[in-house]
Amino acid sequence: MNLANYVGGRWIEGGGAGTALIDPVLGTELARASTQGIDFAAALGFARGTGGPALRTMNFAERAAMLGKIVEALQANRDAYGEIALANSGNTKGDAAIDIDGAIGTLRYYARAAQPLGTAKTLRDGGLIRMGRDEGFQALHVGVPLRGVAIHINAFNFPAWGLWEKIAVAFLAGVPVLAKPATATCWLAQRMVEDVVKAGVVPAGAISIVCGGAGDLLNHVRPQDAIAFTGSAATAASIKNHRRVIEAGTRVNIEADSLNACLLGPDAAPGSAEFDLLVAEVAREMTVKAGQKCTAIRRVLAPAQVAAQLADAIGARLAGVKTGNPRNETVRMGPLVNKAQQKAAVDGIAALKREARVAYEGKDAPIDADPAKGAFVAPTLLAANDPSTGRAIHDVEVFGPVATVMAYRDAEDAFALARRGQGSLVASVFSGDPAFLTTAALELADSHGRVLALDAATAKSSTGHGIVMPMCKHGGPGRAGGGDELGGLGALWFYHQRSALQGPAERLKAIAEASATTV
Ligand code: NAP
């Protein structure tokens, strides 16, 4: 099966042999993807010239209704998506749900959240601003949709959620999308787009998808385009520094790698509710999607006097996780996405082992699977007694079921260790001490895009360390890319030009009344 590209309002297969998409359990070929021969300049031109104007004629309420119809189109095909996620990503049912239902849930959230925007087509930022003595001459900040294309370049680990969390916002903003999912797992994204196109719920040119390499895509970006990238820091750097991207001044949002930390408070002794909660959360974060989540916990900071006990408790949890072929109902953790990722994880673990001891390493053969054919990596927990002297443990993001427990001396030491990640997507704190929760949340906020502060009372309602909620900002500073996605309606601004209008107050008042506010 060759996965076609949808550009210029047509399905077009790329040329040549393409890249094989592989079942990471069985090692068999599922499909091929190629963008060879695709005219990226024409694809972007069609989106700008046909999709953009169609979306801009719609108001926020109409665009929100369109998101609702996309939800219906996707839900009608939900079963097929689970099958593809199993075959192409080795997802368990739970893993697939996070990706697929997370995607649908995010679209649904934006369809609802947009209600207060009503029939407006423009945004306003605040109210009228007086600049001098004359009240008749004032200023107003407005936001109008970009007249370019939203170019969405996504990572392999969330082919569904990564696609729709970005599209939901761009569509609501009135900007057409060209999506480039990661080649290794692009089948699910391609199938979802196919279903939405078939359902006829988006205007011509609003959506395009390319399955395979990016080719010369970036050579054709323009000032009114916006690039939203998710993937490794290395690829992010090449996109940000791309000659044409710099020349055109194209907006770029980067969601890159991250060494997310979780922190056990000094009060949380073994036997406390917070200690047990953290143990369960770390084990879950390590094994959901086999640790292939950008938000997964990589570093576990624990008071020195309990670090060894904590590592033992997490190890005991991990020992109960059955790894193997997700087609077997008893299996809780599947493989990594392919052999290349398996090798990268094995190399990463070797680097961590040079600085930390092994606290737990799964030894069981994968269930119902041939380890030689599959891309399995056993859950591996490391422990470092003097983590301040380590480098790799703070630098190497092993994108698999791997974490390192790090002993800290006191609160200041714990916060300093968390900052060694050089900016991450999320940190979590587990403590029964309200004062410590407050201090830690604020101490960690400068270097983390999101901080989850948990005590026993709120644990039941918690959405978890690794789950990205559309009403909260997603993106971390520094190494995590400095990105800012989601976070409710504020996300619309990335796809709008903010402009200060200066003029007769009465005119500005009329514009303000016809505009919507995102706060
Ligand atoms: P990747 O290798 O950087 O690839 C990401 C995307 O960039 C893919 O679609 C890839 O296409 C494309 N790409 C590669 N080179 C390109 C170029 N020169 N120009 C334009 N596009 C290019 O990352 P990955 O291996 O898919 O994903 C894993 C990484 O993503 C991890 O480091 C993880 O932490 C990070 N991640 C971050 C977040 C977040 O929200 N912060 C979420 C998920 C994952 P091909 O597949 O065709 O090469």
Side-chain angles (χ1 to χ4, degrees), residues 472-509:
C472 294
K473 169 208 159 95
H474 174 59
R479 180 185 169 146
D484 198 338
E485 281 186 344
L486 301 174
L489 294 176
L492 291 171
W493 284 100
F494 181 65
Y495 298 106
H496 280 76
Q497 178 58 41
R498 188 165 172 267
S499 182
L501 307 185
Q502 299 170 323
E506 284 310 312
R507 289 295 79 231
L508 298 183
K509 232 183 249 168

PDB file of all heavy atoms in Angstrom, residues 472-509:
ATOM      1  N   CYS A 472      -4.618  24.170  29.280  1.00  0.00           N
ATOM      2  CA  CYS A 472      -3.355  24.614  29.879  1.00  0.00           C
ATOM      3  C   CYS A 472      -2.277  24.712  28.810  1.00  0.00           C
ATOM      4  O   CYS A 472      -2.237  23.928  27.871  1.00  0.00           O
ATOM      5  CB  CYS A 472      -2.899  23.611  30.946  1.00  0.00           C
ATOM      6  SG  CYS A 472      -3.987  23.553  32.360  1.00  0.00           S
ATOM      7  N   LYS A 473      -1.392  25.645  29.012  1.00  0.00           N
ATOM      8  CA  LYS A 473      -0.278  25.856  28.086  1.00  0.00           C
ATOM      9  C   LYS A 473       0.538  24.574  27.948  1.00  0.00           C
ATOM     10  O   LYS A 473       0.806  23.884  28.932  1.00  0.00           O
ATOM     11  CB  LYS A 473       0.604  26.968  28.659  1.00  0.00           C
ATOM     12  CG  LYS A 473       1.943  27.144  27.985  1.00  0.00           C
ATOM     13  CD  LYS A 473       2.948  27.725  28.988  1.00  0.00           C
ATOM     14  CE  LYS A 473       4.370  27.439  28.553  1.00  0.00           C
ATOM     15  NZ  LYS A 473       4.968  28.527  27.802  1.00  0.00           N
ATOM     16  N   HIS A 474       0.979  24.279  26.715  1.00  0.00           N
ATOM     17  CA  HIS A 474       1.904  23.170  26.475  1.00  0.00           C
ATOM     18  C   HIS A 474       3.149  23.748  25.822  1.00  0.00           C
ATOM     19  O   HIS A 474       3.063  24.416  24.790  1.00  0.00           O
ATOM     20  CB  HIS A 474       1.246  22.124  25.568  1.00  0.00           C
ATOM     21  CG  HIS A 474       2.183  21.024  25.165  1.00  0.00           C
ATOM     22  ND1 HIS A 474       2.811  20.212  26.078  1.00  0.00           N
ATOM     23  CD2 HIS A 474       2.611  20.604  23.946  1.00  0.00           C
ATOM     24  CE1 HIS A 474       3.575  19.336  25.441  1.00  0.00           C
ATOM     25  NE2 HIS A 474       3.477  19.554  24.148  1.00  0.00           N
ATOM     26  N   GLY A 475       4.290  23.460  26.405  1.00  0.00           N
ATOM     27  CA  GLY A 475       5.551  23.970  25.857  1.00  0.00           C
ATOM     28  C   GLY A 475       6.434  24.394  26.997  1.00  0.00           C
ATOM     29  O   GLY A 475       5.940  24.881  28.017  1.00  0.00           O
ATOM     30  N   GLY A 476       7.734  24.189  26.839  1.00  0.00           N
ATOM     31  CA  GLY A 476       8.652  24.546  27.918  1.00  0.00           C
ATOM     32  C   GLY A 476       9.751  25.457  27.420  1.00  0.00           C
ATOM     33  O   GLY A 476      10.015  25.531  26.221  1.00  0.00           O
ATOM     34  N   PRO A 477      10.416  26.149  28.353  1.00  0.00           N
ATOM     35  CA  PRO A 477      11.481  27.073  27.962  1.00  0.00           C
ATOM     36  C   PRO A 477      12.775  26.335  27.594  1.00  0.00           C
ATOM     37  O   PRO A 477      12.884  25.114  27.790  1.00  0.00           O
ATOM     38  CB  PRO A 477      11.682  27.904  29.234  1.00  0.00           C
ATOM     39  CG  PRO A 477      11.300  26.985  30.347  1.00  0.00           C
ATOM     40  CD  PRO A 477      10.203  26.102  29.807  1.00  0.00           C
ATOM     41  N   GLY A 478      13.740  27.093  27.081  1.00  0.00           N
ATOM     42  CA  GLY A 478      15.095  26.572  26.877  1.00  0.00           C
ATOM     43  C   GLY A 478      15.146  25.372  25.970  1.00  0.00           C
ATOM     44  O   GLY A 478      14.623  25.374  24.852  1.00  0.00           O
ATOM     45  N   ARG A 479      15.710  24.315  26.476  1.00  0.00           N
ATOM     46  CA  ARG A 479      15.932  23.116  25.680  1.00  0.00           C
ATOM     47  C   ARG A 479      14.624  22.550  25.126  1.00  0.00           C
ATOM     48  O   ARG A 479      14.594  21.953  24.054  1.00  0.00           O
ATOM     49  CB  ARG A 479      16.614  22.083  26.579  1.00  0.00           C
ATOM     50  CG  ARG A 479      16.875  20.818  25.827  1.00  0.00           C
ATOM     51  CD  ARG A 479      17.436  19.741  26.708  1.00  0.00           C
ATOM     52  NE  ARG A 479      17.360  18.538  25.893  1.00  0.00           N
ATOM     53  CZ  ARG A 479      18.221  17.571  25.922  1.00  0.00           C
ATOM     54  NH1 ARG A 479      19.238  17.620  26.731  1.00  0.00           N
ATOM     55  NH2 ARG A 479      18.066  16.520  25.144  1.00  0.00           N
ATOM     56  N   ALA A 480      13.523  22.731  25.851  1.00  0.00           N
ATOM     57  CA  ALA A 480      12.229  22.214  25.380  1.00  0.00           C
ATOM     58  C   ALA A 480      11.716  22.987  24.169  1.00  0.00           C
ATOM     59  O   ALA A 480      10.687  22.633  23.591  1.00  0.00           O
ATOM     60  CB  ALA A 480      11.199  22.246  26.501  1.00  0.00           C
ATOM     61  N   GLY A 481      12.417  24.052  23.785  1.00  0.00           N
ATOM     62  CA  GLY A 481      12.097  24.740  22.538  1.00  0.00           C
ATOM     63  C   GLY A 481      11.509  26.125  22.707  1.00  0.00           C
ATOM     64  O   GLY A 481      11.386  26.879  21.756  1.00  0.00           O
ATOM     65  N   GLY A 482      11.071  26.439  23.934  1.00  0.00           N
ATOM     66  CA  GLY A 482      10.458  27.758  24.147  1.00  0.00           C
ATOM     67  C   GLY A 482       9.073  27.866  23.547  1.00  0.00           C
ATOM     68  O   GLY A 482       8.567  28.967  23.328  1.00  0.00           O
ATOM     69  N   GLY A 483       8.445  26.737  23.286  1.00  0.00           N
ATOM     70  CA  GLY A 483       7.141  26.742  22.616  1.00  0.00           C
ATOM     71  C   GLY A 483       5.993  27.127  23.532  1.00  0.00           C
ATOM     72  O   GLY A 483       6.119  27.132  24.760  1.00  0.00           O
ATOM     73  N   ASP A 484       4.889  27.482  22.901  1.00  0.00           N
ATOM     74  CA  ASP A 484       3.690  27.866  23.648  1.00  0.00           C
ATOM     75  C   ASP A 484       2.480  27.453  22.825  1.00  0.00           C
ATOM     76  O   ASP A 484       2.023  28.205  21.968  1.00  0.00           O
ATOM     77  CB  ASP A 484       3.712  29.383  23.890  1.00  0.00           C
ATOM     78  CG  ASP A 484       2.761  29.793  25.010  1.00  0.00           C
ATOM     79  OD1 ASP A 484       1.821  29.029  25.286  1.00  0.00           O
ATOM     80  OD2 ASP A 484       2.973  30.874  25.590  1.00  0.00           O
ATOM     81  N   GLU A 485       2.008  26.238  23.059  1.00  0.00           N
ATOM     82  CA  GLU A 485       0.826  25.737  22.340  1.00  0.00           C
ATOM     83  C   GLU A 485      -0.328  25.602  23.322  1.00  0.00           C
ATOM     84  O   GLU A 485      -0.135  25.557  24.538  1.00  0.00           O
ATOM     85  CB  GLU A 485       1.107  24.347  21.752  1.00  0.00           C
ATOM     86  CG  GLU A 485       1.912  24.365  20.475  1.00  0.00           C
ATOM     87  CD  GLU A 485       2.045  22.979  19.845  1.00  0.00           C
ATOM     88  OE1 GLU A 485       1.790  21.961  20.510  1.00  0.00           O
ATOM     89  OE2 GLU A 485       2.424  22.930  18.662  1.00  0.00           O
ATOM     90  N   LEU A 486      -1.529  25.473  22.785  1.00  0.00           N
ATOM     91  CA  LEU A 486      -2.734  25.222  23.572  1.00  0.00           C
ATOM     92  C   LEU A 486      -2.919  26.311  24.638  1.00  0.00           C
ATOM     93  O   LEU A 486      -2.673  27.473  24.377  1.00  0.00           O
ATOM     94  CB  LEU A 486      -2.704  23.812  24.164  1.00  0.00           C
ATOM     95  CG  LEU A 486      -2.609  22.695  23.095  1.00  0.00           C
ATOM     96  CD1 LEU A 486      -2.429  21.333  23.756  1.00  0.00           C
ATOM     97  CD2 LEU A 486      -3.837  22.687  22.196  1.00  0.00           C
ATOM     98  N   GLY A 487      -3.410  25.931  25.813  1.00  0.00           N
ATOM     99  CA  GLY A 487      -3.658  26.954  26.830  1.00  0.00           C
ATOM    100  C   GLY A 487      -4.918  27.738  26.539  1.00  0.00           C
ATOM    101  O   GLY A 487      -4.973  28.958  26.722  1.00  0.00           O
ATOM    102  N   GLY A 488      -5.944  27.018  26.018  1.00  0.00           N
ATOM    103  CA  GLY A 488      -7.219  27.682  25.771  1.00  0.00           C
ATOM    104  C   GLY A 488      -7.162  28.588  24.557  1.00  0.00           C
ATOM    105  O   GLY A 488      -6.370  28.389  23.627  1.00  0.00           O
ATOM    106  N   LEU A 489      -7.990  29.623  24.573  1.00  0.00           N
ATOM    107  CA  LEU A 489      -8.148  30.483  23.395  1.00  0.00           C
ATOM    108  C   LEU A 489      -6.932  31.375  23.133  1.00  0.00           C
ATOM    109  O   LEU A 489      -6.743  31.859  22.019  1.00  0.00           O
ATOM    110  CB  LEU A 489      -9.401  31.348  23.558  1.00  0.00           C
ATOM    111  CG  LEU A 489     -10.727  30.572  23.575  1.00  0.00           C
ATOM    112  CD1 LEU A 489     -11.892  31.517  23.844  1.00  0.00           C
ATOM    113  CD2 LEU A 489     -10.945  29.824  22.254  1.00  0.00           C
ATOM    114  N   GLY A 490      -6.082  31.550  24.137  1.00  0.00           N
ATOM    115  CA  GLY A 490      -4.865  32.345  23.948  1.00  0.00           C
ATOM    116  C   GLY A 490      -4.018  31.786  22.804  1.00  0.00           C
ATOM    117  O   GLY A 490      -3.258  32.534  22.162  1.00  0.00           O
ATOM    118  N   ALA A 491      -4.147  30.490  22.541  1.00  0.00           N
ATOM    119  CA  ALA A 491      -3.365  29.851  21.474  1.00  0.00           C
ATOM    120  C   ALA A 491      -3.689  30.445  20.107  1.00  0.00           C
ATOM    121  O   ALA A 491      -2.888  30.353  19.170  1.00  0.00           O
ATOM    122  CB  ALA A 491      -3.648  28.348  21.464  1.00  0.00           C
ATOM    123  N   LEU A 492      -4.855  31.072  19.972  1.00  0.00           N
ATOM    124  CA  LEU A 492      -5.248  31.640  18.671  1.00  0.00           C
ATOM    125  C   LEU A 492      -4.273  32.724  18.202  1.00  0.00           C
ATOM    126  O   LEU A 492      -4.132  32.969  17.011  1.00  0.00           O
ATOM    127  CB  LEU A 492      -6.657  32.243  18.760  1.00  0.00           C
ATOM    128  CG  LEU A 492      -7.804  31.238  18.935  1.00  0.00           C
ATOM    129  CD1 LEU A 492      -9.097  31.968  19.225  1.00  0.00           C
ATOM    130  CD2 LEU A 492      -7.944  30.380  17.688  1.00  0.00           C
ATOM    131  N   TRP A 493      -3.617  33.375  19.153  1.00  0.00           N
ATOM    132  CA  TRP A 493      -2.751  34.509  18.788  1.00  0.00           C
ATOM    133  C   TRP A 493      -1.581  34.089  17.907  1.00  0.00           C
ATOM    134  O   TRP A 493      -1.073  34.878  17.127  1.00  0.00           O
ATOM    135  CB  TRP A 493      -2.262  35.238  20.045  1.00  0.00           C
ATOM    136  CG  TRP A 493      -3.364  36.081  20.628  1.00  0.00           C
ATOM    137  CD1 TRP A 493      -4.160  35.762  21.688  1.00  0.00           C
ATOM    138  CD2 TRP A 493      -3.819  37.358  20.162  1.00  0.00           C
ATOM    139  NE1 TRP A 493      -5.081  36.765  21.916  1.00  0.00           N
ATOM    140  CE2 TRP A 493      -4.883  37.761  20.989  1.00  0.00           C
ATOM    141  CE3 TRP A 493      -3.425  38.201  19.121  1.00  0.00           C
ATOM    142  CZ2 TRP A 493      -5.566  38.961  20.811  1.00  0.00           C
ATOM    143  CZ3 TRP A 493      -4.097  39.406  18.945  1.00  0.00           C
ATOM    144  CH2 TRP A 493      -5.149  39.777  19.780  1.00  0.00           C
ATOM    145  N   PHE A 494      -1.107  32.847  18.020  1.00  0.00           N
ATOM    146  CA  PHE A 494       0.022  32.410  17.181  1.00  0.00           C
ATOM    147  C   PHE A 494      -0.343  32.507  15.695  1.00  0.00           C
ATOM    148  O   PHE A 494       0.524  32.722  14.855  1.00  0.00           O
ATOM    149  CB  PHE A 494       0.420  30.966  17.542  1.00  0.00           C
ATOM    150  CG  PHE A 494       1.604  30.459  16.741  1.00  0.00           C
ATOM    151  CD1 PHE A 494       2.863  31.031  16.878  1.00  0.00           C
ATOM    152  CD2 PHE A 494       1.455  29.410  15.839  1.00  0.00           C
ATOM    153  CE1 PHE A 494       3.949  30.571  16.132  1.00  0.00           C
ATOM    154  CE2 PHE A 494       2.537  28.945  15.087  1.00  0.00           C
ATOM    155  CZ  PHE A 494       3.791  29.524  15.243  1.00  0.00           C
ATOM    156  N   TYR A 495      -1.620  32.360  15.393  1.00  0.00           N
ATOM    157  CA  TYR A 495      -2.062  32.389  13.992  1.00  0.00           C
ATOM    158  C   TYR A 495      -2.715  33.722  13.627  1.00  0.00           C
ATOM    159  O   TYR A 495      -3.355  33.818  12.589  1.00  0.00           O
ATOM    160  CB  TYR A 495      -3.030  31.220  13.733  1.00  0.00           C
ATOM    161  CG  TYR A 495      -2.378  29.878  13.952  1.00  0.00           C
ATOM    162  CD1 TYR A 495      -2.662  29.107  15.075  1.00  0.00           C
ATOM    163  CD2 TYR A 495      -1.444  29.394  13.039  1.00  0.00           C
ATOM    164  CE1 TYR A 495      -2.042  27.885  15.279  1.00  0.00           C
ATOM    165  CE2 TYR A 495      -0.821  28.174  13.238  1.00  0.00           C
ATOM    166  CZ  TYR A 495      -1.122  27.431  14.367  1.00  0.00           C
ATOM    167  OH  TYR A 495      -0.498  26.227  14.561  1.00  0.00           O
ATOM    168  N   HIS A 496      -2.583  34.723  14.504  1.00  0.00           N
ATOM    169  CA  HIS A 496      -3.123  36.053  14.221  1.00  0.00           C
ATOM    170  C   HIS A 496      -1.992  37.070  14.194  1.00  0.00           C
ATOM    171  O   HIS A 496      -1.006  36.934  14.921  1.00  0.00           O
ATOM    172  CB  HIS A 496      -4.126  36.487  15.311  1.00  0.00           C
ATOM    173  CG  HIS A 496      -5.490  35.893  15.156  1.00  0.00           C
ATOM    174  ND1 HIS A 496      -5.774  34.593  15.488  1.00  0.00           N
ATOM    175  CD2 HIS A 496      -6.656  36.423  14.698  1.00  0.00           C
ATOM    176  CE1 HIS A 496      -7.056  34.347  15.240  1.00  0.00           C
ATOM    177  NE2 HIS A 496      -7.617  35.437  14.756  1.00  0.00           N
ATOM    178  N   GLN A 497      -2.152  38.099  13.390  1.00  0.00           N
ATOM    179  CA  GLN A 497      -1.247  39.241  13.474  1.00  0.00           C
ATOM    180  C   GLN A 497      -1.853  40.248  14.445  1.00  0.00           C
ATOM    181  O   GLN A 497      -3.011  40.647  14.297  1.00  0.00           O
ATOM    182  CB  GLN A 497      -1.049  39.888  12.097  1.00  0.00           C
ATOM    183  CG  GLN A 497      -0.162  41.109  12.134  1.00  0.00           C
ATOM    184  CD  GLN A 497       1.233  40.812  12.716  1.00  0.00           C
ATOM    185  OE1 GLN A 497       1.823  39.774  12.410  1.00  0.00           O
ATOM    186  NE2 GLN A 497       1.740  41.691  13.572  1.00  0.00           N
ATOM    187  N   ARG A 498      -1.074  40.629  15.451  1.00  0.00           N
ATOM    188  CA  ARG A 498      -1.524  41.634  16.410  1.00  0.00           C
ATOM    189  C   ARG A 498      -1.125  42.993  15.861  1.00  0.00           C
ATOM    190  O   ARG A 498       0.042  43.200  15.505  1.00  0.00           O
ATOM    191  CB  ARG A 498      -0.852  41.375  17.759  1.00  0.00           C
ATOM    192  CG  ARG A 498      -1.323  42.192  18.908  1.00  0.00           C
ATOM    193  CD  ARG A 498      -0.815  41.530  20.200  1.00  0.00           C
ATOM    194  NE  ARG A 498      -1.070  42.345  21.350  1.00  0.00           N
ATOM    195  CZ  ARG A 498      -0.202  43.224  21.847  1.00  0.00           C
ATOM    196  NH1 ARG A 498       0.977  43.381  21.297  1.00  0.00           N
ATOM    197  NH2 ARG A 498      -0.510  43.930  22.916  1.00  0.00           N
ATOM    198  N   SER A 499      -2.083  43.874  15.752  1.00  0.00           N
ATOM    199  CA  SER A 499      -1.791  45.180  15.163  1.00  0.00           C
ATOM    200  C   SER A 499      -2.411  46.269  16.038  1.00  0.00           C
ATOM    201  O   SER A 499      -3.542  46.109  16.522  1.00  0.00           O
ATOM    202  CB  SER A 499      -2.384  45.234  13.745  1.00  0.00           C
ATOM    203  OG  SER A 499      -2.079  46.457  13.130  1.00  0.00           O
ATOM    204  N   ALA A 500      -1.677  47.361  16.207  1.00  0.00           N
ATOM    205  CA  ALA A 500      -2.191  48.485  17.001  1.00  0.00           C
ATOM    206  C   ALA A 500      -2.886  49.453  16.048  1.00  0.00           C
ATOM    207  O   ALA A 500      -2.241  50.062  15.197  1.00  0.00           O
ATOM    208  CB  ALA A 500      -1.051  49.183  17.732  1.00  0.00           C
ATOM    209  N   LEU A 501      -4.190  49.568  16.166  1.00  0.00           N
ATOM    210  CA  LEU A 501      -4.923  50.521  15.326  1.00  0.00           C
ATOM    211  C   LEU A 501      -5.008  51.841  16.091  1.00  0.00           C
ATOM    212  O   LEU A 501      -5.369  51.847  17.277  1.00  0.00           O
ATOM    213  CB  LEU A 501      -6.336  50.009  15.037  1.00  0.00           C
ATOM    214  CG  LEU A 501      -6.482  48.599  14.451  1.00  0.00           C
ATOM    215  CD1 LEU A 501      -7.963  48.322  14.113  1.00  0.00           C
ATOM    216  CD2 LEU A 501      -5.630  48.424  13.199  1.00  0.00           C
ATOM    217  N   GLN A 502      -4.684  52.929  15.440  1.00  0.00           N
ATOM    218  CA  GLN A 502      -4.788  54.258  16.061  1.00  0.00           C
ATOM    219  C   GLN A 502      -5.754  55.081  15.221  1.00  0.00           C
ATOM    220  O   GLN A 502      -5.612  55.108  13.992  1.00  0.00           O
ATOM    221  CB  GLN A 502      -3.422  54.946  16.080  1.00  0.00           C
ATOM    222  CG  GLN A 502      -2.379  54.177  16.877  1.00  0.00           C
ATOM    223  CD  GLN A 502      -0.980  54.728  16.691  1.00  0.00           C
ATOM    224  OE1 GLN A 502      -0.619  55.162  15.604  1.00  0.00           O
ATOM    225  NE2 GLN A 502      -0.200  54.707  17.751  1.00  0.00           N
ATOM    226  N   GLY A 503      -6.717  55.715  15.835  1.00  0.00           N
ATOM    227  CA  GLY A 503      -7.665  56.490  15.033  1.00  0.00           C
ATOM    228  C   GLY A 503      -8.812  57.029  15.849  1.00  0.00           C
ATOM    229  O   GLY A 503      -8.760  57.061  17.090  1.00  0.00           O
ATOM    230  N   PRO A 504      -9.884  57.445  15.146  1.00  0.00           N
ATOM    231  CA  PRO A 504     -11.031  58.020  15.859  1.00  0.00           C
ATOM    232  C   PRO A 504     -11.611  57.011  16.855  1.00  0.00           C
ATOM    233  O   PRO A 504     -11.874  55.854  16.483  1.00  0.00           O
ATOM    234  CB  PRO A 504     -12.034  58.314  14.740  1.00  0.00           C
ATOM    235  CG  PRO A 504     -11.240  58.292  13.469  1.00  0.00           C
ATOM    236  CD  PRO A 504     -10.091  57.382  13.697  1.00  0.00           C
ATOM    237  N   ALA A 505     -11.811  57.447  18.073  1.00  0.00           N
ATOM    238  CA  ALA A 505     -12.279  56.539  19.130  1.00  0.00           C
ATOM    239  C   ALA A 505     -13.582  55.841  18.740  1.00  0.00           C
ATOM    240  O   ALA A 505     -13.767  54.653  19.032  1.00  0.00           O
ATOM    241  CB  ALA A 505     -12.454  57.318  20.431  1.00  0.00           C
ATOM    242  N   GLU A 506     -14.469  56.585  18.067  1.00  0.00           N
ATOM    243  CA  GLU A 506     -15.765  55.991  17.715  1.00  0.00           C
ATOM    244  C   GLU A 506     -15.586  54.807  16.768  1.00  0.00           C
ATOM    245  O   GLU A 506     -16.258  53.792  16.876  1.00  0.00           O
ATOM    246  CB  GLU A 506     -16.682  57.051  17.076  1.00  0.00           C
ATOM    247  CG  GLU A 506     -17.267  58.016  18.083  1.00  0.00           C
ATOM    248  CD  GLU A 506     -17.903  57.301  19.280  1.00  0.00           C
ATOM    249  OE1 GLU A 506     -18.681  56.361  19.059  1.00  0.00           O
ATOM    250  OE2 GLU A 506     -17.604  57.671  20.440  1.00  0.00           O
ATOM    251  N   ARG A 507     -14.672  54.961  15.789  1.00  0.00           N
ATOM    252  CA  ARG A 507     -14.395  53.872  14.834  1.00  0.00           C
ATOM    253  C   ARG A 507     -13.809  52.666  15.573  1.00  0.00           C
ATOM    254  O   ARG A 507     -14.173  51.526  15.351  1.00  0.00           O
ATOM    255  CB  ARG A 507     -13.401  54.329  13.753  1.00  0.00           C
ATOM    256  CG  ARG A 507     -13.881  55.314  12.743  1.00  0.00           C
ATOM    257  CD  ARG A 507     -14.995  54.757  11.840  1.00  0.00           C
ATOM    258  NE  ARG A 507     -16.299  54.741  12.453  1.00  0.00           N
ATOM    259  CZ  ARG A 507     -17.114  53.683  12.505  1.00  0.00           C
ATOM    260  NH1 ARG A 507     -16.758  52.553  11.999  1.00  0.00           N
ATOM    261  NH2 ARG A 507     -18.291  53.741  13.060  1.00  0.00           N
ATOM    262  N   LEU A 508     -12.864  52.947  16.461  1.00  0.00           N
ATOM    263  CA  LEU A 508     -12.206  51.853  17.192  1.00  0.00           C
ATOM    264  C   LEU A 508     -13.194  51.138  18.103  1.00  0.00           C
ATOM    265  O   LEU A 508     -13.130  49.926  18.273  1.00  0.00           O
ATOM    266  CB  LEU A 508     -11.019  52.390  17.998  1.00  0.00           C
ATOM    267  CG  LEU A 508      -9.890  53.015  17.181  1.00  0.00           C
ATOM    268  CD1 LEU A 508      -8.749  53.451  18.090  1.00  0.00           C
ATOM    269  CD2 LEU A 508      -9.361  52.055  16.115  1.00  0.00           C
ATOM    270  N   LYS A 509     -14.114  51.914  18.656  1.00  0.00           N
ATOM    271  CA  LYS A 509     -15.131  51.313  19.528  1.00  0.00           C
ATOM    272  C   LYS A 509     -15.955  50.314  18.733  1.00  0.00           C
ATOM    273  O   LYS A 509     -16.253  49.210  19.202  1.00  0.00           O
ATOM    274  CB  LYS A 509     -16.049  52.417  20.086  1.00  0.00           C
ATOM    275  CG  LYS A 509     -16.182  52.375  21.596  1.00  0.00           C
ATOM    276  CD  LYS A 509     -17.140  53.432  22.083  1.00  0.00           C
ATOM    277  CE  LYS A 509     -16.419  54.518  22.858  1.00  0.00           C
ATOM    278  NZ  LYS A 509     -17.228  55.692  23.108  1.00  0.00           N
TER     279      LYS A 509
END
